[in-house]
Amino acid sequence: MPADADLDAVIKAGIRDIPDFPSEGVLFKDITPLLADPVSLRTVVAALAGPHRAGGVDAVVGLEARGFILAAPVALELDAGFVPVRKAGKLPAETYRESYHLEYGTATVEMHVDAIAPGDRVLIVDDVLATGGTGRAAVDLVRKAGGTVVGFSVLLELGFLSGRGKLTDVDVSALTAA
Ligand SMILES: O=P(O)(O)OC[C@H]1O[C@H](OP(=O)(O)OP(=O)(O)O)[C@H](O)[C@@H]1O
Ligand SMILES: Nc1ncnc2[nH]cnc12
């Protein structure tokens, strides 16, 4: 595992800024260059999983769509199951549902009611923490199912959007910030 400064440099080198995407005024943080580099991808997955290796995590929740890419390998690293939180209308069985605001619109997400057993220890993983709406919705979904949220871990936090303010009751960690 690289030292913190090296990890920060690896991540920053793999993220590019795309102005005015998906709408004018938004500076989009594109993580696809990082994902395309196997060493960077492996490094990031290990860094997200690392603090939870001894934590008895039962399930890793990934947030559609970019969160899935990181959460599934983190689940494997932790010998835990993977649970998807999906945009509304995509999950086939009975769901819990939460709506929220994003930096660029609104969204509704769902999780199967039987995806998490009461008392399960759950780590939530996503790529970006921006306004915190998605993370808040995910935490509330897990708690509706009776799960214990042991952490919300992201690759990148956009600090100027103050997403942590919506997640003061959760252990939030970000590998890097912008
Ligand atoms: O903290 P927030 O303001 O809620 O924003 C963060 C969320 O926004 C992005 O997802 P998006 O809904 O754009 O979906 P995608 O992963 O399908 O691109 C990102 O992947 C996070 O899930
Ligand atoms: N500016 C941004 N870049 C990438 N993902 C995001 N999710 C919310 N805001 C974002």
Side-chain angles (χ1 to χ4, degrees):
M1 174 86 67
D4 283 358
D6 296 337
L7 178 63
D8 199 66
V10 163
I11 295 170
K12 289 205 161 92
I15 298 177
R16 61 185 172 189
D17 289 351
I18 310 288
D20 299 321
F21 182 89
S23 51
E24 208 175 317
V26 175
L27 184 63
F28 191 86
K29 299 289 183 177
D30 178 21
I31 66 165
T32 60
L34 184 151
L35 299 175
D37 179 65
V39 175
S40 300
L41 180 57
R42 186 178 295 279
T43 299
V44 160
V45 167
L48 287 167
H52 298 281
R53 282 192 196 284
V57 172
D58 298 298
V60 177
V61 163
L63 311 184
E64 185 177 358
R66 283 173 272 152
F68 290 174
I69 301 162
L70 298 173
V74 168
L76 290 173
E77 289 268 325
L78 296 178
D79 203 17
F82 170 77
V83 172
V85 162
R86 296 211 62 181
K87 306 275 165 61
K90 298 289 187 181
L91 287 171
E94 187 185 351
T95 61
Y96 295 119
R97 171 181 278 237
E98 291 284 340
S99 296
Y100 58 96
H101 295 280
L102 275 163
E103 198 186 354
Y104 35 74
T106 59
T108 299
V109 287
E110 296 179 307
M111 186 184 75
H112 278 145
V113 297
D114 61 358
I116 285 166
D120 272 359
R121 293 171 57 76
V122 178
L123 173 66
I124 302 170
V125 171
D126 205 355
D127 63 332
V128 175
L129 169 59
T131 67
T134 309
R136 180 74 256 163
V139 168
D140 292 344
L141 287 172
V142 170
R143 289 185 178 158
K144 273 184 183 173
T148 297
V149 177
V150 300
F152 177 55
S153 298
V154 298
L155 172 62
L156 170 67
E157 177 177 5
L158 303 181
F160 62 96
L161 291 171
S162 307
R164 274 181 197 251
K166 290 200 183 82
L167 294 161
T168 53
D169 56 340
V170 183
D171 179 9
V172 176
S173 74
L175 297 184
T176 191

